[in-house]
Amino acid sequence: MRKYVPKDNVQKKAYYRDRFHVVPGVPRSRVEEGSHFENVVSTLGDLVKESYIEIGQLVVHIDATTNFETMKILKEKCGYTQCTEQSAVDYLAKDNEFELFWQLLNITEAKRVRVVCRLAQGLAIESIQPLFKSANFAEREMFDMFGIKVNNHPFLKRIIMPDDWEGHPLLK
């Protein structure tokens, strides 16, 4: 017969020992002179607040009020003809803001750019649906899941949740 081992406070024991483990961030590098990305940043000019390279793609931080103008320049002058992703991240508890991002693709150069901006809760963003038709559902999803209003959207209505649903499911 095996020896009895008391099992006091089994439910109070933590399963994970690394509760305070901080995952290291993705390394960032500067935009190299003479590169395609440097041309993009110089074309955007004063619209760019910050820019860097992360995992081989350009990340550009802009002001939320200039999102349509920035996207128009990226599409017409820089060749980024596809908006492959658009969404938001909820930082309301920390900063009382959302972080919105757009992922654009230049097919001819095989390059990607991520445009990022911060938007305070309760403010609206301008629709980029006239430039990129793929932004239609993404903007409706942002409205449905986060409650972010999009100005000049042709049909801003819930897309996933029922029409009588109260609240927004992805708010923390």
Side-chain angles (χ1 to χ4, degrees):
M1 189 179 224
R2 109 187 111 163
K3 183 180 174 186
Y4 174 75
V5 178
K7 296 177 179 69
D8 298 333
N9 299 326
V10 171
Q11 304 234 338
K12 291 183 181 178
K13 290 181 182 176
Y15 288 109
Y16 302 104
R17 303 277 185 236
D18 58 346
R19 271 181 63 187
F20 302 106
H21 174 70
V22 178
V23 178
V26 177
R28 296 178 178 175
S29 60
R30 296 181 55 222
V31 179
E32 296 177 8
E33 290 185 29
S35 67
H36 167 78
F37 291 141
E38 197 231 347
N39 294 336
V40 171
V41 172
S42 64
T43 303
L44 291 174
D46 293 338
L47 297 173
V48 177
K49 291 165 57 175
E50 180 186 6
S51 64
Y52 50 87
I53 305 294
E54 200 174 66
I55 314 176
Q57 69 181 6
L58 177 65
V59 180
V60 176
H61 290 262
I62 62 167
D63 190 43
T65 58
T66 63
N67 75 313
F68 186 82
E69 183 182 354
T70 303
M71 299 299 170
K72 188 172 184 174
I73 291 170
L74 285 170
K75 181 176 184 181
E76 294 174 357
K77 295 184 180 175
C78 301
Y80 288 91
T81 55
Q82 285 190 352
C83 179
T84 58
E85 182 65 36
Q86 174 182 355
S87 191
V89 180
D90 175 0
Y91 288 109
L92 294 175
K94 183 178 174 187
D95 301 330
N96 201 28
E97 291 181 328
F98 291 102
E99 183 176 275
L100 280 68
F101 64 89
W102 297 266
Q103 185 82 24
L104 303 177
L105 174 64
N106 182 335
I107 296 175
T108 58
E109 303 266 342
K111 302 285 185 186
R112 294 183 186 274
V113 64
R114 177 177 288 253
V115 180
V116 181
C117 74
R118 289 290 193 128
L119 183 70
Q121 185 178 20
L123 295 181
I125 194 84
E126 190 67 28
S127 175
I128 63 165
Q129 194 270 338
L131 297 172
F132 302 102
K133 299 300 180 199
S134 63
N136 187 4
F137 281 178
E139 288 174 352
R140 286 180 63 188
E141 183 182 9
M142 264 188 351
F143 169 70
D144 193 6
M145 296 289 111
F146 293 101
I148 298 172
K149 298 231 185 317
V150 182
N151 291 335
N152 299 322
H153 191 278
F155 189 60
L156 194 61
K157 182 181 181 276
R158 288 195 181 268
I159 191 169
I160 298 172
M161 304 305 291
D163 289 332
D164 60 346
W165 186 270
E166 291 181 20
H168 304 281
L170 290 184
L171 292 178
K172 295 178 186 170

